[in-house]
């Protein structure tokens, strides 16, 4: 059998506004926490993390995370509607959709689409979720690119630790 490799150390990363936080492998040290706004005016707190962000965004060979949260959900639709919309992402044409799974961790609920065999190299998970209590305006969109066995563990840690910790834009 082949040796499973795991990430040793994890670190918390936050966006530039201090609004959202998540734990990622320490080796995912290339981080961008800049907020962004959609064409229709939805403002997002955002943090991307990967060993190399350029390679993560532009290839299937590098693991990484995109974690985006907005309080402008009404400008985008419900979380399932947004998850359906992500299926139109051009890059996902290179993947096989495994299935959609329900998500509920006690604090957030939603669903995620799990894609396999992206360009024969990676798996890709997209979670759309909302808080179980509190604001009805909040939408979470969390995406993880999985390239190795260790990245499955990283995805699990990400799902256990993503949170809203401050004021959203």
């Amino acid at each position: 059998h082949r040796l499973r490799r795991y990430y040793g150390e994890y670190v918390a990363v936050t966006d530039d506004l201090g609004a959202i936080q998540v734990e990622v492998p320490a080796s995912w040290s290339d981080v961008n926490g800049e907020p962004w706004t959609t064409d229709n005016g939805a403002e997002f707190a955002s943090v991307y993390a990967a060993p190399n962000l350029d390679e993560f965004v532009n290839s299937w060979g590098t693991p990484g995370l995109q974690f985006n949260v907005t309080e402008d959900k009404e400008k985008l639709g419900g979380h399932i509607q947004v998850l359906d919309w992500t299926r139109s992402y051009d890059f996902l044409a290179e993947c096989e959709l495994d299935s959609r799974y329900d998500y509920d961790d006690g604090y957030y609920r939603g669903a995620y689409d799990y894609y396999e065999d992206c360009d024969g190299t990676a798996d890709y998970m997209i979670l759309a979720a909302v808080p179980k209590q509190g604001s009805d305006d909040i939408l979470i969109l969390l995406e993880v690119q999985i390239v190795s066995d260790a990245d499955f563990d990283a995805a699990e840690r990400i799902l256990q630790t993503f949170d809203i910790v401050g004021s959203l834009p």
Side-chain angles (χ1 to χ4, degrees):
H1 70 81
R2 64 190 167 120
L3 182 64
R4 269 193 70 137
R5 297 193 349 192
Y6 298 94
Y7 292 106
E9 184 183 356
Y10 282 79
V11 296
V13 294
T14 59
D15 67 305
D16 291 355
L17 305 172
I20 58 175
Q21 178 177 296
V22 64
E23 291 182 15
V24 298
S27 60
W28 294 13
S29 57
D30 196 356
V31 176
N32 180 342
E34 295 175 19
W36 58 277
T37 304
T38 63
D39 291 341
N40 64 351
E43 294 181 76
F44 279 85
S46 176
V47 64
Y48 286 37
N52 179 305
L53 282 176
D54 187 55
E55 290 175 7
F56 162 60
V57 171
N58 294 301
S59 78
W60 292 112
T62 301
L65 157 85
Q66 298 181 39
F67 178 28
N68 299 290
V69 182
T70 185
E71 271 188 311
D72 296 328
K73 188 175 84 173
E74 78 283 350
K75 295 179 180 177
L76 302 168
H79 64 283
I80 297 299
Q81 184 179 354
V82 170
L83 196 56
D84 288 344
W85 173 77
T86 65
R87 290 186 176 185
S88 69
Y89 286 178
D90 287 342
F91 70 91
L92 292 176
E94 300 177 38
C95 305
E96 296 286 328
L97 175 62
D98 171 57
S99 192
R100 176 167 292 171
Y101 299 92
D102 290 332
Y103 181 82
D104 187 332
D105 63 14
Y107 299 99
Y108 302 102
R109 66 174 179 81
Y112 64 93
D113 285 347
Y114 194 87
Y115 295 86
E116 297 178 317
D117 201 29
C118 299
D119 196 36
T121 306
D123 289 357
Y124 202 84
M125 179 192 75
I126 303 176
L127 169 71
V130 295
K132 290 188 77 166
Q133 298 180 351
S135 175
D136 288 337
D137 298 325
I138 293 174
L139 173 71
I140 295 161
L141 197 57
L142 186 134
E143 305 178 36
V144 182
Q145 188 159 291
I146 298 166
V147 180
S148 71
D149 287 343
D151 300 330
F152 284 110
D153 297 319
E156 192 171 297
R157 181 75 166 257
I158 287 164
L159 289 174
Q160 292 168 351
T161 62
F162 77 89
D163 204 2
I164 300 167
V165 296
S167 298
L168 293 165

